[in-house]
Amino acid sequence: MTGPASELVVPGRPVDRGHLEIEVTEVAPWLLGKVLVHGSRAGRIVEVEAYRGEDDPASHAYRGRTARNAVMFGRAGHLYVYFTYGMHFCANVVCGEEGSPRAVLIRALAPLTGTAEMWAARPAARRPADLANGPAKLCQALGLDRRHDGADLITGDLGVWLVDDGTAPPESPDVGGRIGVSRAADRPWRFWVPGDPNVSR
DNA sequence: CTTTGGATCGTCT
DNA sequence: GACGATCCAAAGG
């Protein structure tokens, strides 16, 4: 599904790339409330985690550039999709300056549109909140995989967009340690919308 | 409700 | 050759 932004299934427009080219720990909470779109499917971002390249032992880029993490080293506004546990994909928004590997892992979405497709893509889901309340679940729900690694979320070259529909980030997001990492998990770089039923775990 | 272990393979040591 | 930025079903309380 490619096409101009006027074909977006949600109101709003792609975010300004410049808003992503700053400190990753500031971008992460700013992304709460934005909308991730793939074709007819869309969900509002309700939980994220920041990963800060060379400073961060938990980051895929901690030990330098490889074929896998190359997108993290590129320009802000691109999608870094990685494969893990032999069966799952997770999606990140690349941010910061070009050459400095920073990214925000999208951990949970509140489903907005295309929910029939999401249910079909997620047969294990029992409740609406099960559709996208985890980083691999939301990739399944939206149909994101290795083909979308490197997609430009501002131009929508691969049918994937990051959209601002006017919803403001929470004034005081909940903050905590990161989940599922064995190193530097205590850094308070996980942010979520207080009380949202779609937040993971 | 919580805990536990299996699935499954690309990536880097 | 080991280990994941995970998910799910099954078993136990």
Side-chain angles (χ1 to χ4, degrees):
Chain A
M1 281 304 225
T2 59
S6 60
E7 292 181 5
L8 285 171
V9 294
V10 292
R13 59 184 180 80
V15 304
D16 291 334
R17 200 182 303 274
H19 288 156
L20 303 174
E21 294 173 330
I22 61 173
E23 175 57 44
V24 65
T25 50
E26 293 181 32
V27 175
W30 180 81
L31 287 175
L32 295 174
K34 303 298 181 293
V35 179
L36 189 61
V37 180
H38 180 213
S40 59
R41 293 176 258 187
R44 192 177 307 285
I45 297 170
V46 297
E47 181 185 0
V48 296
E49 278 177 2
Y51 286 88
R52 196 165 70 178
E54 60 280 329
D55 300 341
D56 182 1
S59 170
H60 289 167
Y62 183 55
R63 295 175 198 285
R65 179 177 179 142
T66 66
R68 178 207 204 189
N69 65 25
V71 173
M72 276 186 79
F73 288 78
R75 194 176 181 200
H78 289 256
L79 192 69
Y80 167 48
V81 179
Y82 67 88
F83 179 69
T84 190
Y85 292 105
M87 67 189 86
H88 294 305
F89 295 97
C90 297
N92 302 251
V93 176
V94 174
C95 52
E97 296 175 19
E98 188 163 0
S100 68
R102 313 291 162 92
V104 176
L105 173 68
I106 309 302
R107 285 199 58 91
L109 302 176
L112 284 181
T113 67
T115 52
E117 288 174 84
M118 293 188 191
W119 282 109
R122 297 237 345 109
R126 302 297 174 88
R127 312 161 305 164
D130 297 330
L131 288 175
N133 63 342
K137 295 178 187 178
L138 70 90
C139 283
Q140 250 180 275
L142 288 187
L144 298 175
D145 59 37
R146 67 175 84 255
R147 297 185 306 250
H148 305 100
D149 186 37
D152 189 330
L153 299 169
I154 315 304
T155 66
D157 59 352
L158 296 182
V160 190
W161 282 274
L162 180 61
V163 173
D164 186 343
D165 71 349
T167 301
E171 286 188 22
S172 299
D174 279 348
V175 183
R178 294 178 293 183
I179 294 178
V181 295
S182 54
R183 295 164 295 185
D186 54 316
R187 296 192 189 184
W189 290 350
R190 172 175 171 246
F191 305 88
W192 65 97
V193 176
D196 193 286
N198 297 282
V199 170
S200 69
R201 122 204 228 204

